[in-house]
């Protein structure tokens, strides 16, 4: 168990819904250790929960990699969700609000993107999907993203 | 269901307060536990006299789209069995995050705390009808005799 403030890179396996709870705990611990505010923590944990569930349900399991990622003086956290499942054939459709292929609400990818500062989707049909998100602990509240 | 063997040691307790079911969610909730809770509540409603369900989420750190859907489904199922559900105690950070996620749960009735929820259930049965989302209400008004 890393002590708070001492956040090191780690890998968390995603193979069951118990692992989803573990992912949330690890992200919470790391974000709190880096000084993320409560709202920033909540957003990042929620995004991680959505993406980890995608890894589990659509990717057939995989892992999360958690890496500290400072930018200037702002501490940050980068999370990668990696699976070697079927991949996403239609990325545009998968990123649309309300589109679901798995019985959910269709907010997983699009919603997670709104909750973080950076969002990168790398997918190849037949070879898997990697979603990488990054958030920084900002002191000043960041500007609201423009409505689309 | 064999939840214990599948790694879900604890079910969420459903308490009865008079004829109201009181459910307190706390900390980490596994997906399996949430789905089990949905079944437990439906069965309790079917078996005994229940006038309302109060779900307290003041101990919940995050509500993602899965848990949001389960909460919505619990309320929708209860409503089909003529029972109203009130969600109470949402933390500010959770509410902010859910709105940004796009998860506003329009069909759910909310109250600040359990006491107010019990007041709502006891004194104003028509409140549930008021909170029906506009588009669904229009469809109902237009479509049904």
């Amino acid at each position: 168990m890393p002590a708070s403030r001492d956040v090191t890179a780690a890998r968390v396996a995603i193979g069951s819904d118990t692992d989803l709870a573990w992912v949330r705990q690890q992200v919470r611990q790391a974000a709190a250790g880096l000084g993320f505010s409560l709202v920033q923590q909540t957003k990042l944990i929620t995004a991680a929960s959505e993406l980890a569930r995608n890894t589990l349900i659509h990717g057939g399991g995989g892992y999360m990699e958690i890496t500290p990622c400072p930018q200037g003086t702002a501490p940050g956290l980068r999370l990668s969700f990696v699976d070697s499942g079927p991949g996403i054939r239609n990325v545009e459709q998968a990123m649309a609000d309300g589109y679901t292929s798995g019985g959910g609400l269709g907010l997983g990818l699009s919603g997670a993107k709104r909750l973080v500062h950076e969002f990168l989707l790398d997918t190849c049909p037949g070879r898997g999907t990697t979603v990488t998100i990054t958030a920084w602990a900002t002191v000043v509240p960041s500007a609201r993203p423009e409505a689309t | 269901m064999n939840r214990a063997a599948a790694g879900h040691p604890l079910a969420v307790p459903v308490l009865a307060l008079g004829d109201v079911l009181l459910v307190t969610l706390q900390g980490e909730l596994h997906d399996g536990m949430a789905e089990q809770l949905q079944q437990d509540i439906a069965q309790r409603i079917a078996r005994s006299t229940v006038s309302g369900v109060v779900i307290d989420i003041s101990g919940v750190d995050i509500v993602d789209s899965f848990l949001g859907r389960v909460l919505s489904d619990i309320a929708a199922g209860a409503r089909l069995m003529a029972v109203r559900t009130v969600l109470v105690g949402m933390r500010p950070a959770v509410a902010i995050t859910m709105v940004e996620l796009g998860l506003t749960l329009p069909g759910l009735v909310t109250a600040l705390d359990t006491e107010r929820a019990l007041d709502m259930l006891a004194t104003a049965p028509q409140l549930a009808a008021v909170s029906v989302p506009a588009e669904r209400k229009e469809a109902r008004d237009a479509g049904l005799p």
Side-chain angles (χ1 to χ4, degrees), chain A residues 52-141:
Chain A
R53 186 171 287 104
N54 280 353
T55 299
L56 178 66
I57 293 171
H58 302 296
Y63 61 89
M64 172 188 74
E65 222 157 49
I66 179 166
T67 324
C69 175
Q71 189 180 59
T73 55
L77 209 53
R78 176 162 291 162
L79 310 175
S80 288
F81 298 83
V82 183
D83 70 61
S84 44
I88 301 169
R89 237 177 269 142
N90 189 338
V91 173
E92 205 177 313
Q93 187 184 46
M95 286 300 301
D97 256 345
Y99 174 76
T100 175
S101 58
L105 291 171
L107 293 169
L109 284 176
S110 53
K113 187 179 181 182
R114 281 193 292 271
L115 293 175
V116 295
H117 296 118
E118 267 183 28
F119 181 99
L120 199 71
L121 175 69
D122 182 14
T123 185
C124 180
R127 268 190 273 160
T129 302
T130 298
V131 179
T132 303
I133 57 175
T134 315
W136 288 278
T138 45
V139 182
V140 183

Side-chain angles (χ1 to χ4, degrees), chain B residues 38-107:
Chain B
Q38 189 179 353
Q39 293 177 28
D40 290 348
I41 289 178
Q43 270 162 18
R44 287 283 285 272
I45 292 173
R47 257 192 261 125
S48 48
T49 312
V50 174
S51 71
V53 178
V54 176
I55 304 177
D56 183 348
I57 59 165
S58 59
V60 173
D61 296 332
I62 70 143
V63 175
D64 61 11
S65 62
F66 177 83
L67 183 54
R69 196 200 74 201
V70 171
L71 293 172
S72 251
D73 287 356
I74 288 174
R79 192 177 52 82
L80 288 175
M81 292 189 280
V83 170
R84 287 170 298 144
T85 302
V86 184
L87 188 70
V88 306
M90 184 177 292
R91 296 181 181 183
V94 173
I96 290 168
T97 301
M98 283 176 70
V99 169
E100 201 149 338
L101 187 63
L103 192 63
T104 50
L105 306 181

